[in-house]
């Protein structure tokens, strides 16, 4: 993966004193979705308490802080969040869940996605005197909930969700319940699980259920609100499901863990299908197929099976060079990339190598990997990519660079092959990639490849361009993700 950052991960459960510990385990399973900050909020039935911090789940909730026992005391339910900032800066003020007091009592909110009209709503509320303590779009939802004219609605939560545009999976915890909602386009995944004791939980990915020995029940439907409390689970709608959904297929290509079920299909299986399709569309005469771990592994296995070229692990990924690793110079940055992905020379030396990766964004890190393969004796290097060329930015929670920074907008395939120093370069076709999914092609968002934004990317009247507000998080000195 070349410089793509995740969105966030959310988890919630109503399971009495066990809620906090199970939320902690669930967040560990979702750690791949965000490593900037983490947090847990719990309710006693009378009040909500929480703790957030910068860094990974293990760092934020390290035993020396004695946080989990305090949150567990008299606990009824809990929600948690791991964050990568696609909206708002990397700051403790933006860590979630965010807790607030308003006229209806206490609330904690955790959010995954990106509201395309958040800036417009924020400007409107600030003009009338509202004060924001963070720069993320989650706090906007709190202000909407607290508005006097919204509080008196028959279903205030449904009314507020109707004001939101863009991608959102939201967990709202009140003192007596958890409310989970997913946007009408179903852009981001949100699943429901059930523990062995019959308690219900929700998570961004189904892999989190395995950590607490819960079973996957179903996805939260687009436009649905699910309530979880002492009595179990109930459901209502705040919007009709769109005729054409905009599910983010990049979840299946890269973001989600391979043991998760996303949009009705196991991630490992869908990636393996993409690898097979890639081998059909762009065969290569080679001696070995190697993945860029971890997201390219299943696809490389599929490529190997379809092409009958042996599969090997030519790259070894270090789990100790984190995604937030910052190098103070270009030279150290290059060395850090080598630390993160080391090459097994015996696998590639004197070989014609097919390298399978999920995407190319800027191209610089891919170029470095090819150079390293050459230095370790690879005779030929053939690059195969499991998604089409990324040409357009994402406004729905994926931190792609601006259009001008995407290398596929600067070079054609042959020019890019030359820039990378590869012997050949092949991308899966858009039709081939979407065809690997069980659902119809019209069910998925393909905007980052074809510019077809199904969900509005401009706020009312086109006044606020998302290009203006999308934060560019691709600092020059930051090490690339996987």
């Amino acid at each position: 993966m070349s410089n793509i950052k995740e969105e966030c991960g959310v988890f919630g459960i109503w399971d009495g004193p066990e809620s906090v510990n199970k939320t902690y385990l669930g967040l560990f399973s979702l750690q791949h979705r965000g490593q900037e900050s983490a947090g847990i909020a719990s309710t006693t039935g009378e009040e909500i308490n929480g703790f957030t911090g910068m860094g990974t789940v293990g760092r934020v909730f390290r035993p020396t802080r004695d946080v989990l026992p305090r949150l567990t005391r008299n606990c009824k339910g809990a929600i948690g969040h791991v964050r990568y900032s696609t909206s708002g800066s990397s700051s403790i003020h933006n860590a979630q869940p965010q807790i607030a007091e308003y006229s209806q009592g206490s609330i904690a909110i955790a959010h995954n996605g990106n509201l395309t009209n958040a800036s417009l709503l924020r400007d409107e509320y600030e003009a009338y005197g509202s004060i924001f303590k963070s720069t993320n779009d989650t706090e906007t939802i709190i202000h909407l909930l607290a508005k006097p004219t919204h509080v008196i609605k028959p279903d205030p939560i449904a009314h507020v969700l109707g004001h939101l545009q863009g991608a959102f999976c939201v967990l709202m915890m009140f003192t007596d319940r958890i409310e989970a909602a997913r946007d009408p386009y179903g852009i981001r995944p949100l699943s429901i699980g059930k523990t062995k004791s019959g308690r219900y939980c929700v998570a961004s990915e189904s892999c989190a259920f395995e950590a607490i020995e819960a079973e996957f029940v179903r996805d939260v439907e687009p436009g649905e609100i699910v309530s979880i409390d002492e009595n179990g689970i109930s459901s209502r709608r705040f919007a009709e499901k769109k005729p054409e959904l905009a599910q983010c297929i990049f979840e299946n290509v890269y973001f989600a863990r391979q043991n998760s079920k996303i949009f009705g299909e196991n991630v490992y299986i869908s990636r393996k299908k993409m690898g097979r399709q890639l081998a059909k569309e762009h065969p290569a005469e080679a001696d070995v197929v190697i993945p860029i771990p971890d997201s390219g592994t299943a696809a490389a296995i599929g490529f190997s099976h379809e092409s009958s070229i042996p599969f090997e692990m030519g790259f070894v990924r270090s789990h100790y060079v984190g995604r937030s690793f910052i190098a103070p110079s270009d030279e150290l940055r290059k060395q850090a990339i080598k630390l993160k992905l080391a090459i097994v020379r015996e696998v590639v030396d004197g070989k014609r190598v097919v390298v399978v990766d999920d995407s190319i964004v800027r191209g610089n890190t891919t170029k470095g990997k090819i150079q390293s393969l050459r230095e370790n004796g690879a005779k030929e290097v053939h690059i195969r990519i499991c998604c089409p060329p990324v040409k357009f930015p994402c406004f729905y929670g994926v931190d792609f660079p601006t259009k001008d920074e995407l290398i596929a907008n600067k070079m054609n395939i042959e020019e890019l092959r030359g820039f990378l120093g590869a012997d050949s370069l092949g991308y899966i076709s858009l039709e081939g990639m979407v065809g690997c999914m069980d659902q119809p092609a019209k069910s998925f968002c393909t905007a980052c490849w074809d510019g077809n934004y199904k969900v509005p990317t401009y706020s009312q009247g086109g006044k606020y361009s998302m290009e203006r507000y999308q934060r560019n998080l691709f600092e020059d000195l930051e090490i690339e993700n996987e």
Side-chain angles (χ1 to χ4, degrees), residues 259-293:
N259 60 326
S260 288
K261 192 173 185 178
I262 301 293
F263 309 134
E265 185 164 357
N266 172 261
V267 173
Y268 176 84
I269 297 299
S270 58
R271 287 181 187 169
K272 194 172 176 182
K273 288 181 184 177
M274 291 174 191
R276 283 187 173 276
Q277 181 64 25
L278 189 56
K280 293 176 183 177
E281 295 184 10
H282 297 283
E285 293 186 5
D287 304 306
V288 64
V289 176
I290 65 173
I292 300 295

Side-chain angles (χ1 to χ4, degrees), residues 23-36:
T23 298
Y24 173 73
L25 293 173
L27 292 184
F28 256 110
S29 296
L30 299 173
Q31 187 71 87
H32 58 286
R33 298 186 72 87
Q35 296 187 6
E36 283 191 357

